[in-house]
Amino acid sequence: YDDHVTSFRNGTRTPLEASPPSLCDALQAAAPGRRSFEINRKRLAGALSVTDEEVLMAMKIAFETLALVLEPSGAVALAALLSEREGKLSAGIFGEEENGKSLPVAIIASGGNVTMDKFAAVMGCKQQQP
């Protein structure tokens, strides 16, 4: 769902024409909220979108390196940061420089609203029956 990306590009709230299924069910909005878009438009440099595959990879990395269980929607910011490291996203959102030095980037990774079956599938495991 790239409702914010599309809306930033158009300069106005723009509803999506299609609503494809996504792992990130908490983020499946057809258009940005009126108030949130007005706030974001004034305060943000832009918006990013990631694929379900990038979200799955972020969930795996969070679990394997940080021992965090993230729900898909809660892993989106981490997926965007990891994708930027691979140079897939547009410049100007991450990696801004001040006096020749990169500025710090903070993300919020949240969740736990994921079933054991879904999480086990993401990790490439079969769930053991009790």
Side-chain angles (χ1 to χ4, degrees):
Y1 280 73
D2 60 355
D3 56 319
H4 269 78
V5 172
T6 301
S7 295
F8 270 105
R9 185 175 27 238
N10 294 338
T12 186
R13 285 178 65 241
T14 306
L16 298 177
E17 293 179 16
S19 298
S22 173
L23 289 173
C24 304
D25 54 354
L27 301 177
Q28 290 180 307
R34 282 187 182 94
R35 288 184 182 162
S36 61
F37 183 71
E38 286 305 313
I39 292 167
N40 291 340
R41 191 171 66 148
K42 292 174 185 172
R43 298 186 181 266
L44 302 180
L48 305 170
S49 63
V50 293
T51 65
D52 281 353
E53 291 76 22
E54 290 167 326
V55 169
L56 292 173
M57 183 57 64
M59 290 174 69
K60 282 185 178 184
I61 290 171
F63 182 74
E64 292 172 352
T65 62
L66 304 170
L68 294 175
V69 175
L70 302 179
E71 65 181 87
S73 297
V76 166
L78 180 58
L81 184 65
L82 293 169
S83 295
E84 176 60 20
R85 184 184 67 202
E86 299 298 321
K88 295 178 185 172
L89 302 173
S90 58
I93 304 292
F94 294 125
E96 290 289 328
E97 292 189 2
E98 187 174 277
N99 299 324
K101 293 186 176 185
S102 295
L103 296 175
V105 174
I107 62 167
I108 297 173
S110 64
N113 186 20
V114 60
T115 66
M116 181 59 76
D117 288 337
K118 184 184 274 188
F119 190 74
V122 167
M123 294 298 119
C125 306
K126 286 186 175 181
Q127 183 182 3
Q128 301 268 330
Q129 296 299 323

